[in-house]
Amino acid sequence: MSGEKNIANIAVAIDGPAASGKSTVAKTLAKKLGLIMVNTGAMYRAVAWATLRDGVNPDDADAVIEMLGKVDFSCGVEDGVSTILVDGFYPGEELRQDAVNNRVSRVAAIPEVRKLLVAKQRDYLKLGSLVMEGRDIGSVVFPDTPFKIYIDASEEVRLARRSAEGLADEVAKRDAEDSKRKASPLVVADGAVVIDSSEMNIDEVVNAAMEVLRERGAPASMLDAVS
Ligand code: DC
């Protein structure tokens, strides 16, 4: 299933590096517009979490692929936000632990992992219009959507945002791995509007994103739903 076959449902693609604020913006925008919000980072984190649970080496692509055949990753929506269960279990906050941070980019670089998750991501469009955030949403998952936004922020600001959350995420290291990988690297997708959020608050970024949707012809029915 791809974006162009679902003319009725609209995908808003939000990409950007770690801690750029894209999750908060995607959540706020989805709520404002009454759309489903899909966090694709959580899906890659769930695969990384499963490698930890099962003692699978994330650098051994064959072992990770074998694991994919045995583990059930089930995607859904709760209260308008995407959820992922691993063999029926929701890992919750464990998805954001250091051990997951440290290996998620390596797992996400395996093309078979991406193929499985991209198919699940495209399936979400069957459920309704959505805001989906990640690294390759505008470039790979929904390349035909006109609604593509890339949210950036300086490394300094991104590090400060993570530590304000009490997390010591090595964002620069993860970004380097995510940008350099061969399979669907982090890029500014063709036609994406870049918003540098370094000096902006969430409301300002959300308003800038709304402006992009308006300029690019988002249907009035969607924009009118603003709460
Ligand atoms: O958005 P996040 O920090 O939770 O994402 C975790 C990791 O997942 C990120 O370092 C790279 C990977 N990822 C990806 O490769 N493609 C996506 N669409 C989303 C995340």
Side-chain angles (χ1 to χ4, degrees), residues 15 18-19 22-23 39-42 44-45 96 104-105 108 114 121 133-137 162 169 174 178 181 184:
D15 291 300
K22 61 187 187 310
S23 294
N39 173 348
T40 61
Y44 290 93
R45 286 172 181 275
R96 288 166 68 80
V104 63
S105 293
R114 306 202 68 82
Q121 290 157 14
E133 58 107 345
R135 303 291 188 292
D136 61 342
I137 313 307
R162 271 294 189 265
D169 187 2
R174 225 147 45 82
D178 295 338
R181 69 176 177 231
S184 316

Side-chain angles (χ1 to χ4, degrees), residues 8 17 43 48 81 99 101 110 124 129 131-132 136 143 154 211:
M43 298 166 77
V81 179
N101 282 336
I110 300 171
Y124 269 108
S129 293
V131 179
M132 185 175 284
D136 61 342
S154 70
E211 204 41 51

Side-chain angles (χ1 to χ4, degrees), residues 213-227:
L213 302 187
R214 221 169 268 127
E215 277 166 13
R216 300 226 164 159
S221 56
M222 192 168 116
L223 297 171
D224 288 350
V226 171
S227 56

Side-chain angles (χ1 to χ4, degrees), residues 21-190:
K22 61 187 187 310
S23 294
T24 313
V25 171
K27 240 180 260 165
T28 311
L29 192 63
K31 201 157 186 200
K32 235 175 160 44
L33 300 175
L35 308 184
I36 298 165
M37 135 75 173
V38 183
N39 173 348
T40 61
M43 298 166 77
Y44 290 93
R45 286 172 181 275
V47 175
W49 180 88
T51 64
L52 278 166
R53 183 197 64 177
D54 295 353
V56 172
N57 177 356
D59 294 319
D60 182 346
D62 288 340
V64 175
I65 293 164
E66 196 189 329
M67 184 198 81
L68 293 182
K70 293 187 197 150
V71 179
D72 178 51
F73 295 97
S74 152
C75 296
V77 177
E78 218 178 284
D79 294 333
V81 179
S82 62
T83 56
I84 183 154
L85 301 180
V86 183
D87 292 328
F89 176 77
Y90 175 55
E93 275 307 301
E94 287 180 29
L95 294 180
R96 288 166 68 80
Q97 71 193 17
D98 287 349
V100 169
N101 282 336
N102 291 340
R103 63 173 58 199
V104 63
S105 293
R106 285 178 276 159
V107 167
I110 300 171
E112 287 79 359
V113 170
R114 306 202 68 82
K115 195 169 165 215
L116 175 83
L117 297 186
V118 166
K120 290 178 184 293
Q121 290 157 14
R122 289 181 177 151
D123 272 350
Y124 269 108
L125 202 60
K126 291 177 186 162
L127 302 179
S129 293
L130 45 86
V131 179
M132 185 175 284
E133 58 107 345
R135 303 291 188 292
D136 61 342
I137 313 307
S139 58
V140 174
V141 182
F142 296 121
D144 299 323
T145 181
F147 309 114
K148 298 185 193 184
I149 295 163
Y150 185 96
I151 299 187
D152 212 346
S154 70
E155 192 181 315
E156 202 187 342
V157 167
R158 294 188 291 115
L159 274 173
R161 285 179 186 163
R162 271 294 189 265
S163 69
E165 293 170 44
L167 298 169
D169 187 2
E170 290 183 76
V171 290
K173 184 164 171 270
R174 225 147 45 82
D175 289 342
E177 288 183 51
D178 295 338
S179 305
K180 282 186 204 136
R181 69 176 177 231
K182 279 205 196 100
S184 316
L186 169 66
V187 289
V188 179
D190 274 351

